[in-house]
Amino acid sequence: MARDIKRDMGDYLPKYYSESAIVDNLLTREATEFSALSADIYDVLAQFFIDTATWGMANWERICGIPVDEAKPIEQRRSVIRSKMRGVGTVTAALIKNVAESFNNGSVSVTEDNANYTIKIAFTSSLGVPDNIVDIQTALREIIPAHLAVSFLFTYMTWGSLDVRGFTWGTLTTANYMWSQFEKLT
């Protein structure tokens, strides 16, 4: 990019400067600085969007009223911000589904059990408990009315689905699978 900037600046100069080592050095230095400035401008611009923000995530969290936790992975922090921004409006099953799916854990189905004052949220496309389940529970608890209970349903690997894939207890133990790896096999 600096090379293009240098060439563009050189195009504005009279032709007799093209042989000057001093002018060439000056154009090289200025092109490097303009290239760095351009990269910094694009970096600042990236902070204005949740999907591209990096060092600006703390600002998004403050705007949304979320405690800043630099220890969390950036994708989990983005998910919390997205859910906070999506969770505005009248609480419906569609809104709950939209907020739950903003956490990058795949598809979710929401079932209302009005007789028992319960909302059932099932993670349908991923196995096991999502890594950031606490964030999901917190976000949903903030938007779901307090008189309704929330029930989470998770999908796990079963022996029947292992049999279909040709796995036996012996093959799993010789492969040194840990239980956490085993339950999320697909």
Side-chain angles (χ1 to χ4, degrees):
M1 182 165 173
R3 182 172 286 156
D4 294 337
I5 293 172
K6 178 182 175 183
R7 186 188 36 148
D8 291 344
M9 287 191 303
D11 289 346
Y12 283 101
L13 296 176
K15 295 294 177 208
Y16 55 84
Y17 282 123
S18 64
E19 301 298 321
S20 171
I22 295 171
V23 171
D24 184 60
N25 184 32
L26 181 64
L27 290 177
T28 300
R29 303 281 183 229
E30 285 186 359
T32 302
E33 289 298 317
F34 280 124
S35 181
L37 177 63
S38 179
D40 289 344
I41 289 169
Y42 281 111
D43 187 38
V44 169
L45 182 61
Q47 305 315 305
F48 286 92
F49 302 94
I50 297 168
D51 293 331
T52 55
T54 52
W55 52 265
M57 291 298 290
N59 292 330
W60 279 102
E61 289 166 328
R62 275 192 221 77
I63 289 168
C64 294
I66 301 167
V68 177
D69 185 1
E70 303 269 339
K72 278 186 182 177
I74 198 148
E75 279 306 315
Q76 285 186 8
R77 294 171 68 193
R78 281 190 179 121
S79 296
V80 173
I81 293 167
R82 271 192 224 103
S83 74
K84 192 74 162 182
M85 295 186 82
R86 289 182 184 182
V88 177
T90 304
V91 180
T92 62
L95 178 70
I96 294 168
K97 178 179 172 59
N98 193 8
V99 169
E101 287 180 346
S102 71
F103 281 92
N104 298 331
N105 293 313
S107 298
V108 173
S109 71
V110 177
T111 308
E112 298 175 66
D113 183 2
N114 295 328
N116 295 314
Y117 298 98
T118 303
I119 295 176
K120 296 178 182 177
I121 300 168
F123 294 90
T124 57
S125 66
S126 59
L127 296 177
V129 178
D131 293 335
N132 55 344
I133 187 67
V134 174
D135 293 332
I136 297 169
Q137 290 170 331
T138 302
L140 292 175
R141 202 62 263 178
E142 285 181 12
I143 64 168
I144 295 174
H147 71 284
L148 297 176
V150 180
S151 160
F152 291 94
L153 306 169
F154 306 103
T155 307
Y156 292 98
M157 181 66 67
T158 63
W159 282 113
S161 55
L162 282 176
D163 289 339
V164 170
R165 290 182 174 83
F167 284 110
T168 65
W169 184 255
T171 58
L172 291 173
T173 54
T174 57
N176 290 326
Y177 276 109
M178 301 298 294
W179 181 255
S180 60
Q181 295 169 314
F182 166 72
E183 70 182 357
K184 292 186 177 185
L185 282 175
T186 55

